[in-house]
C-alpha cells in the first residue's frame, strides 16, 4: 500500500500548528517555561516613581537690626533645627543698597546682594536645637529691609520641597532560581560642604603666657607720676561733662546719657556716670580733649571702674582709642563671652581669640564694686599688657610671638598702634545695657599704678 507523505510546505505548517496547540495547553513544557520567565522578570523590575521629598525646617534665624541714617548693626541668632552639624554657612540676600563693613563672631563676606556668614573657629559645632550668635555692621541708603531667604549649608531654612526620584519596587512574587540583582538605591541629596574652619569642642591652648607681675618700675599712684597727660577724678566737673571732657556719640545718638555723679565715687566726691543703652545708637562716650598723641613710646592707662551688670555674651565696648596708623579706626576695651577683651574695629580681631580656651584666659569684670583696670600699649612694636586689680590677665597680653587662642589673630596686623584719642563710655552691638562709673582716670608715658 502506498503511504501518504505530506509535501514540504505542509510539514512546516504542521509543526507551526503543533506549536500553537502546545502553547495553549496549561501543562505543556512551553507554558511552564513562559510562566517561570515572567515571574523572574517581575522580581527584577524596579519602577522609578517621581516623589516629592518634603524636607522639615532645618534652621530658624532671629535677625535684630539697629539703624541710623546711612548705617546699621544687625544681631543674628541661628538656631539649628535639623541634624547636628560640625560647621555651618548661612547665606541670604541683602537689599541692593546695603553693604557690610565688618562683623564679629563669624566670617561674613558679601558679593553683590549675596551675603555669606561662616562660623568662627569656636562656634561651628551645633547640636539639634543649639544656637550661634553673630553680628555685623554696615551702610545703607534708600530703605533697609531685613532678609528672609536664609540657607543653612545650602539648604533653605524653611525646608521647602524639591522633587527627587526614588526607587519604588513593584509588588512581585519572590523569584526562585538564581538570586536576582538588587537595584542600586538612588543617593540621597546631601548639603554641599561649607567652607569653614573645623571647630574643636574644647581647644587646648598652645603654651599660654602665664600671668606676670607688674613692671619692675614701681608705678605711681594718684596724679603724682611724671609724664601724665590725663589725670582726673572729675572733681572739677558738675552736671554734664564739659571742658576737658566732652560727650561723644559717633554716627547717631539715642537713650545713652553721661553725668557727673556726686553720690558714688572711688575717691573724692565725684565720678563720671554713664547710662548705656542696648543697641548701637544708644551708646554714650565721654572723651578727653588732651593731646593723647603726644604720649609715648608706651601709653600707660589706669582707671577705676564700677559696673552694675556683668559683662554679657554679646560684644560690648567701654573704652575706645582712635588709632592713627589704622585709618583712625578704634582700639576697644570691652567684653564678649562674659569676659574682658580687646577688639580692633578695622578687622574685628579680638584679644584673646573668642574660642573657649581663649575666653578662659581672660577674666570677668566684677560688679557692684570698684575695680582698678590698667593697660599699656607699646607704639613702637606689637606689645600690650592689661591688669585687673594689679593682676595681669594672661589672655590680654601681646608679646610679639603668636600664641594660639590668645594673640595669634591680633598679630596678623604687624603695625603697632598709635592711639590719638581716649574715650570712656558704653557701646552695645546687641541689646545689652549697663550703668557704670569711672573715676581716678590717668593716661601718660610712665607706669601708673592703682
Amino acid at each position: 500500500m502506498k503511504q501518504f507523505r505530506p509535501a514540504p510546505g505542509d510539514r512546516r505548517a504542521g509543526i507551526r500548528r503543533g506549536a500553537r496547540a502546545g502553547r495553549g495547553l496549561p501543562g505543556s513544557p512551553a507554558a511552564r517555561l513562559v510562566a517561570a520567565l515572567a515571574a523572574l522578570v517581575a522580581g527584577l523590575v524596579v519602577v522609578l516613581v517621581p516623589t516629592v521629598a518634603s524636607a522639615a525646617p532645618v534652621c530658624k534665624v532671629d535677625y535684630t537690626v539697629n539703624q541710623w541714617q546711612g548705617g546699621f548693626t544687625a544681631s543674628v541668632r541661628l538656631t539649628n533645627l535639623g541634624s547636628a552639624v560640625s560647621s555651618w554657612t548661612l547665606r541670604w540676600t541683602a537689599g541692593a543698597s546695603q553693604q557690610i563693613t565688618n562683623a564679629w563672631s563669624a566670617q561674613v563676606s558679601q558679593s553683590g546682594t549675596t551675603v555669606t556668614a561662616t562660623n568662627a573657629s569656636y562656634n561651628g559645632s551645633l547640636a539639634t536645637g543649639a544656637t550661634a550668635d553673630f553680628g555685623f555692621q554696615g551702610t545703607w541708603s534708600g530703605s533697609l529691609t531685613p532678609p528672609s531667604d536664609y540657607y543653612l549649608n545650602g539648604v533653605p531654612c524653611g525646608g521647602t520641597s524639591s522633587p527627587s526620584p526614588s526607587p519604588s519596587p513593584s509588588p512581585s512574587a519572590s523569584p526562585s532560581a538564581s538570586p536576582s540583582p538588587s537595584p542600586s538605591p538612588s543617593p540621597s541629596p546631601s548639603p554641599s560642604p561649607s567652607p569653614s574652619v573645623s571647630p574643636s569642642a574644647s581647644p587646648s591652648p598652645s603654651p599660654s603666657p602665664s600671668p606676670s607681675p607688674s613692671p619692675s618700675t614701681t608705678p605711681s599712684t594718684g596724679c603724682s607720676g611724671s609724664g601724665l597727660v590725663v589725670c582726673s577724678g572729675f572733681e572739677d566737673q558738675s552736671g554734664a561733662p564739659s571742658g576737658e571732657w566732652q560727650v561723644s556719640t559717633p554716627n547717631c545718638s539715642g537713650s545713652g546719657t553721661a553725668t557727673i555723679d556726686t553720690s558714688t565715687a572711688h575717691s573724692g566726691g565725684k565720678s563720671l556716670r554713664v547710662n548705656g543703652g542696648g543697641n548701637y545708637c544708644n551708646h554714650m562716650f565721654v572723651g578727653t580733649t588732651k593731646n593723647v598723641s603726644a604720649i609715648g613710646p608706651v601709653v600707660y592707662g589706669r582707671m577705676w571702674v564700677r559696673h552694675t551688670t556683668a559683662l554679657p555674651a554679646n560684644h560690648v565696648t567701654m573704652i575706645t582709642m582712635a588709632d592713627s596708623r589704622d585709618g583712625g579706626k578704634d582700639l576697644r576695651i570691652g567684653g564678649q563671652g562674659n569676659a574682658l577683651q580687646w577688639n580692633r574695629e578695622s578687622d574685628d580681631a579680638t584679644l584673646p581669640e573668642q574660642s573657649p580656651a581663649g575666653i578662659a584666659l581672660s577674666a570677668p569684670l566684677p560688679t557692684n564694686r570698684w575695680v582698678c583696670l590698667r593697660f599699656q600699649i607699646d607704639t613702637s612694636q606689637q606689645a600690650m599688657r592689661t591688669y585687673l586689680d594689679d593682676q595681669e590677665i594672661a589672655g590680654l597680653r601681646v608679646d610679639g610671638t603668636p600664641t594660639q587662642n590668645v594673640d595669634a589673630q591680633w598679630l596678623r596686623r604687624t603695625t603697632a598702634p598709635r592711639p590719638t584719642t581716649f574715650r570712656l563710655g558704653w557701646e552695645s552691638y546687641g541689646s545689652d545695657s549697663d550703668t557704670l562709673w569711672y573715676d581716678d582716670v590717668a593716661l601718660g608715658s610712665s607706669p601708673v599704678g592703682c
Side-chain angles (χ1 to χ4, degrees), residues 266-292:
H266 172 254
S267 68
K270 298 180 180 179
S271 67
L272 170 65
R273 172 175 171 157
V274 174
N275 295 317
N279 299 318
Y280 180 77
C281 277
N282 295 318
H283 57 185
M284 171 57 62
F285 288 99
V286 177
T288 180
T289 60
K290 296 294 185 70
N291 184 13
V292 176

Side-chain angles (χ1 to χ4, degrees), residues 213-312:
S214 303
S216 56
T217 304
T218 303
S220 63
T221 58
C223 288
S224 60
S226 62
L228 291 179
V229 173
V230 176
C231 198
S232 175
F234 303 100
E235 299 302 313
D236 59 342
Q237 300 275 314
S238 61
S242 60
E244 294 181 358
W245 294 96
Q246 295 290 319
V247 169
S248 174
T249 54
N251 300 316
C252 57
S253 61
S255 62
T257 61
T259 56
I260 302 303
D261 195 342
T262 57
S263 63
T264 302
H266 172 254
S267 68
K270 298 180 180 179
S271 67
L272 170 65
R273 172 175 171 157
V274 174
N275 295 317
N279 299 318
Y280 180 77
C281 277
N282 295 318
H283 57 185
M284 171 57 62
F285 288 99
V286 177
T288 180
T289 60
K290 296 294 185 70
N291 184 13
V292 176
S293 60
I295 303 173
V298 178
V299 178
Y300 295 91
R302 178 213 65 205
M303 66 226 60
W304 286 84
V305 188
R306 185 184 179 100
H307 269 248
T308 304
T309 307
L311 290 174

Side-chain angles (χ1 to χ4, degrees), residues 100-104 108 135-138 329 332 345-348:
I100 293 174
T101 56
N102 60 77
W104 51 93
V108 180
F136 54 88
Q137 185 170 350
K329 298 292 187 179
R332 301 159 165 167
E345 181 186 6
S346 62
D347 60 357
D348 203 43

Side-chain angles (χ1 to χ4, degrees), residues 363-402:
L365 195 63
T367 59
N368 299 315
R369 73 173 179 88
W370 288 99
V371 294
C372 179
L373 180 64
R374 295 193 296 126
F375 64 85
Q376 59 190 65
I377 304 170
D378 195 328
T379 65
S380 63
Q381 60 181 330
Q382 277 282 29
M384 297 164 55
R385 299 173 77 173
T386 308
Y387 304 85
L388 188 63
D389 285 338
D390 277 336
Q391 289 293 317
E392 184 174 9
I393 302 174
L396 302 184
R397 181 174 184 176
V398 178
D399 56 10
T401 302

Side-chain angles (χ1 to χ4, degrees), residues 81-172:
L81 301 180
S83 301
V85 296
S86 59
S87 62
W88 54 263
T89 294
L90 186 68
R91 176 170 53 85
W92 67 90
T93 303
S97 67
Q98 298 173 29
Q99 184 61 52
I100 293 174
T101 56
N102 60 77
W104 51 93
S105 298
Q107 299 294 324
V108 180
S109 62
Q110 183 173 358
S111 176
T113 58
T114 300
V115 180
T116 304
T118 302
N119 63 270
S121 59
Y122 56 89
N123 62 0
S125 181
L126 291 181
T128 302
T131 62
D133 293 286
F134 66 95
F136 54 88
Q137 185 170 350
T139 60
W140 65 280
S141 61
S143 62
L144 184 63
T145 55
S148 58
D149 58 338
Y150 297 104
Y151 289 76
L152 176 61
N153 290 350
V155 180
C157 269
T160 55
S161 303
S162 59
S164 61
S166 59
S168 180
S170 311
S172 61

